[in-house]
């Protein structure tokens, strides 16, 4: 016998199934997925190039890397399969002779559906392909030969001052000592001219050759000497020497403290940034030929960046790809540096053979993205999937997985650490040296004046 309750139970089950199907369909639409039972899962051709850690070959068949993992997640959310094949010319893509090369060109010619790589969004590329939302952002940095760690040993006492400055100090010491000898011998108002019966302490022998050097050396320790100059010329020279010694000793103590308290001792690089390299003209700057980095420097309105681009063209220090540039930095003896993407530079700097490091400030913020055929409709679906992966932390976890620290210690040279040891150069002590020179000249003038005055009185 038919009962209404049994019919209602059947209706309830059918209604629950329909609601579940409707919720599933709504979630798929949020990601741009249109799943039709009669259609098979689409298979897309993906063009890529090998670039650590984005896309790398497995030991067997297939590929691995940060972007391969990202594409797996995107394909799972959007609902497609893919086949990766490497770009024919191994280039990212640039416009030359009326056509696009590299991955960009293959997507433009519809030889591939998706471009997968550490490709930077540029205005020219965005006109011919559809870029997704950025999956990572980065800047341009300098990759340089890693400075060697060293133990200064006994040289620590000499390290606070540059070699050039030590020679200048030694020259100043000899000059002042000789001037004291001349003043002591020829100045009519100096101790030498005092009668022996009026000199019970023997001060008349205070500024001979030996005594003058002792006076100069003893004042270096801020201890003074038994006798001070008696004449006006000697006192002028002594005051200027005391002031010079005060500033020199303070500078030495300050620099020595930083050298002793600095943690890692690394040999300083011969430049601070790109401007020093261009002005020096001895170090080559490498950039990928026809790459987006070179185009940014070339088309920049900042004069310094244009000078860098002209410098690279003049020296013809282009490389065909990033891997070639990294290898040239490793083989160089510090005379070749590479301007490259910061994320790639940090990855290689943290891994054996630990011979390179990232140095200097950042240039040009850049966005990395996937790209598809224009008007294909695939861009929106990939955008939604990437947004979901970013919101749930998947992108961050994958980045930590592939960029985790290696075995080489800090990848980035800390330009301004908490305690930085800086050698004092002659430029930093130019004022005390100038004051000493003026004092020495004035002392000689006063010496001549005192001689003339004494002869005039006689």
């Amino acid at each position: 016998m038919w009962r209404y309750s049994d019919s209602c139970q059947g209706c309830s089950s059918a209604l629950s199934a329909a609601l579940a199907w409707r919720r599933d369909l709504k979630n798929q639409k949020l990601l741009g997925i249109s799943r039709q039972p009669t259609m098979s899962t689409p298979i897309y051709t993906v063009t890529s190039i090998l670039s650590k850690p984005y896309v790398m070959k497995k030991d067997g068949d297939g590929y691995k890397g940060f972007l391969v993992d990202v594409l797996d997640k995107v394909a799972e959310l959007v609902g497609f399969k893919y086949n990766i094949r490497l770009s024919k010319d191994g280039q990212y893509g640039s416009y030359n002779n009326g056509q696009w090369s590299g991955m960009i060109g293959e997507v433009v010619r519809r030889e591939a559906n998706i471009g997968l790589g550490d490709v930077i969004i540029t205005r020219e590329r965005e006109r011919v392909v559809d870029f997704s939302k950025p999956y990572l952002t980065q800047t341009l940095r300098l990759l340089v030969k890693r400075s060697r760690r060293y133990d200064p040993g006994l040289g620590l006492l000499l390290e606070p001052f540059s070699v050039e400055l030590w020679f200048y100090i030694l020259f100043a010491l000899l000059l002042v000592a000789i001037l004291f000898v001349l003043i002591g011998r020829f100045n009519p108002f100096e101790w030498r001219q005092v009668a022996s019966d009026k000199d019970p302490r023997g001060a008349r022998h205070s500024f001979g050759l030996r005594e003058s050097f002792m006076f100069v050396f003893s004042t270096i320790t801020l201890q003074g000497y038994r006798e001070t100059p008696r004449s006006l010329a000697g006192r002028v020279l002594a005051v200027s020497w005391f002031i010079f010694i005060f500033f020199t000793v303070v500078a030495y103590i300050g620099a020595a403290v930083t050298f002793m308290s600095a943690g890692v001792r690394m040999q300083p690089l011969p430049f601070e940034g790109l401007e020093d390299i261009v002005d020096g003209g001895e170090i080559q700057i490498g950039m990928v030929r026809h790459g987006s980095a070179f185009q940014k420097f070339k088309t920049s309105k900042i004069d310094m960046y244009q000078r860098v681009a002209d410098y690279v063209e003049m020296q013809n220090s282009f490389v065909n790809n990033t891997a070639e540039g990294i290898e040239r930095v490793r083989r160089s003896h510090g005379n070749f540096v590479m301007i490259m993407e910061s994320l790639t530079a940090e990855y290689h700097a943290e891994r054996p053979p630990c011979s390179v490091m990232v140095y200097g400030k950042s240039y040009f913020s850049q966005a990395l993205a996937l790209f598809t055929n224009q008007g294909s409709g695939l861009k929106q679906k990939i955008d939604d999937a990437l947004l979901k992966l970013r919101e749930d932390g998947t992108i961050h976890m994958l980045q930590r997985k592939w960029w985790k620290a290696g075995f080489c210690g800090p990848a980035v040279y800390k330009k301004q650490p908490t305690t930085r040891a800086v050698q004092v150069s002659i430029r930093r002590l130019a004022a005390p040296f100038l004051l000493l020179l003026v004092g020495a000249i004035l002392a000689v003038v006063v010496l001549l004046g005192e001689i003339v005055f004494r002869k005039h009185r006689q």
Side-chain angles (χ1 to χ4, degrees):
M1 182 176 179
W2 177 82
R3 290 186 300 177
Y4 176 75
S5 59
D6 294 336
S7 175
C8 288
Q9 289 178 356
C11 292
S12 176
S13 300
L15 182 60
S16 299
L19 290 174
W21 177 82
R22 185 180 181 88
R23 284 195 303 268
D24 183 57
L25 181 62
K26 185 178 180 181
N27 291 333
Q28 292 175 23
K29 286 183 177 180
L30 289 175
L31 291 174
I33 303 172
S34 179
R35 185 177 294 176
Q36 299 179 7
T38 58
M39 296 181 62
S40 59
T41 303
I43 301 177
Y44 295 125
T45 300
V46 178
T47 179
S48 183
I49 63 173
L50 298 179
S51 176
K52 296 179 180 180
Y54 299 97
V55 180
M56 301 176 286
K57 275 193 173 182
K58 289 183 178 179
D59 294 335
D61 294 331
Y63 299 91
K64 63 179 181 178
F66 169 76
L67 282 180
V68 178
D69 289 350
V70 170
L71 189 59
D72 284 339
K73 300 292 184 182
V74 170
E76 181 182 347
L77 290 172
V78 175
F80 66 83
K81 296 181 181 179
Y82 64 88
N83 293 319
I84 296 179
R85 62 176 178 81
L86 298 181
S87 175
K88 297 175 184 177
D89 59 6
Q91 302 293 323
Y92 291 97
S94 59
Y95 189 74
N96 293 304
N97 301 323
Q99 61 180 358
W100 282 90
S101 63
M103 292 190 294
I104 298 289
E106 294 181 9
V107 173
V108 169
R109 295 187 296 270
R110 297 189 179 272
E111 298 172 7
N113 305 107
I114 302 174
L116 184 74
D118 50 328
V119 179
I120 298 167
I121 301 175
T122 64
R123 187 175 64 257
E124 293 78 11
R125 291 171 177 174
E126 204 164 22
R127 290 171 182 166
V128 295
V129 297
D130 285 343
F131 277 101
S132 69
K133 292 185 182 297
Y135 57 82
L136 286 177
T137 57
Q138 62 180 3
T139 58
L140 293 176
R141 301 289 297 273
L142 274 178
L143 187 73
V144 302
K145 186 77 172 179
R146 185 182 288 266
S147 297
R148 294 182 179 179
R149 295 181 176 89
Y150 69 100
D151 182 9
L154 295 177
L156 179 64
L157 297 177
L158 300 176
E159 220 174 11
F161 285 172
S162 65
V163 176
E164 181 186 22
L165 180 56
W166 281 117
F167 277 110
Y168 274 101
I169 293 175
L170 180 61
F171 176 77
L173 187 147
L174 294 175
L175 176 64
V176 171
I178 292 174
L179 284 177
F180 273 123
V181 172
L182 295 177
I183 291 173
R185 181 176 296 273
F186 298 107
N187 195 303
F189 299 99
E190 212 26 275
W191 290 108
R192 187 181 181 87
Q193 307 303 325
V194 177
S196 57
D197 57 340
K198 297 181 180 181
D199 182 28
R201 297 181 304 173
R204 57 195 310 270
H205 302 293
S206 296
F207 287 96
L209 181 62
R210 183 184 63 182
E211 291 78 11
S212 295
F213 275 100
M214 286 300 300
F215 177 84
V216 171
F217 276 109
S218 62
T219 51
I220 292 178
T221 60
L222 305 180
Q223 294 297 316
Y225 192 57
R226 186 185 64 177
E227 301 293 343
T228 57
R230 184 169 179 264
S231 65
L232 180 59
R235 292 180 180 181
V236 169
L237 182 61
V239 169
S240 60
W241 175 249
F242 290 154
I243 295 175
F244 170 79
I245 287 298
F246 175 78
F247 281 105
T248 303
V249 170
V250 169
Y252 179 85
I253 294 174
V257 168
T258 60
F259 270 91
M260 291 180 181
S261 58
V264 178
R265 310 303 299 279
M266 302 182 74
Q267 292 179 342
L269 295 179
F271 57 88
E272 289 289 333
L274 289 174
E275 187 173 1
D276 294 336
I277 298 177
V278 174
D279 291 340
E282 297 180 355
I283 300 174
Q284 288 187 321
I285 301 175
M287 288 190 188
V288 176
R289 191 183 305 275
H290 306 307
S292 61
F294 176 75
Q295 295 301 323
K296 283 184 178 293
F297 276 89
K298 187 68 175 177
T299 59
S300 173
K301 294 183 179 180
I302 300 177
D303 179 66
M304 184 61 227
Y305 293 167
Q306 293 179 359
R307 287 181 58 198
V308 171
D310 294 339
Y311 182 80
V312 174
E313 286 183 318
M314 180 185 66
Q315 295 203 339
N316 193 26
S317 52
F318 292 104
V319 295
N320 294 320
N321 50 57
T322 302
E324 179 185 335
I326 295 172
E327 190 59 31
R328 284 190 63 179
V329 174
R330 284 174 174 162
R331 293 199 312 266
S332 72
H333 299 284
N335 57 359
F336 183 87
V337 300
M338 180 75 179
I339 296 179
M340 60 182 299
E341 292 72 20
S342 58
L343 293 175
T344 305
E346 290 172 14
Y347 174 84
H348 287 279
E350 290 181 350
R351 281 154 180 80
C354 305
S355 56
V356 294
M357 66 180 181
V358 183
Y359 180 81
K361 66 178 184 179
S362 301
Y363 307 94
F364 301 110
S365 179
Q366 300 175 328
L368 305 179
L370 310 179
F371 56 95
T372 64
N373 310 120
Q374 270 194 337
S376 65
L378 192 56
K379 164 186 161 53
Q380 186 60 45
K381 300 176 183 179
I382 294 178
D383 283 348
D384 293 337
L386 287 175
L387 184 59
K388 184 178 186 304
L389 294 176
R390 185 177 289 278
E391 288 177 347
D392 64 16
T394 301
I395 295 288
H396 178 68
M397 288 189 295
L398 292 177
Q399 185 178 1
R400 289 188 60 185
K401 170 187 174 182
W402 290 100
W403 268 271
K404 61 183 179 182
F407 307 96
C408 302
V412 181
Y413 181 87
K414 301 297 183 183
K415 192 173 181 182
Q416 292 181 341
T418 304
T419 303
R420 183 187 176 192
V422 180
Q423 265 193 342
V424 179
S425 63
I426 183 64
R427 294 178 61 182
R428 293 177 180 269
L429 283 180
F433 272 99
L434 181 61
L435 181 62
L436 179 62
L437 179 61
V438 172
I441 294 174
L442 183 61
V444 172
V445 172
V446 174
L447 170 63
L448 296 176
E450 287 181 315
I451 293 175
V452 171
F453 177 76
R454 184 60 179 266
K455 287 186 176 181
H456 181 71
R457 287 188 60 182
Q458 290 178 347

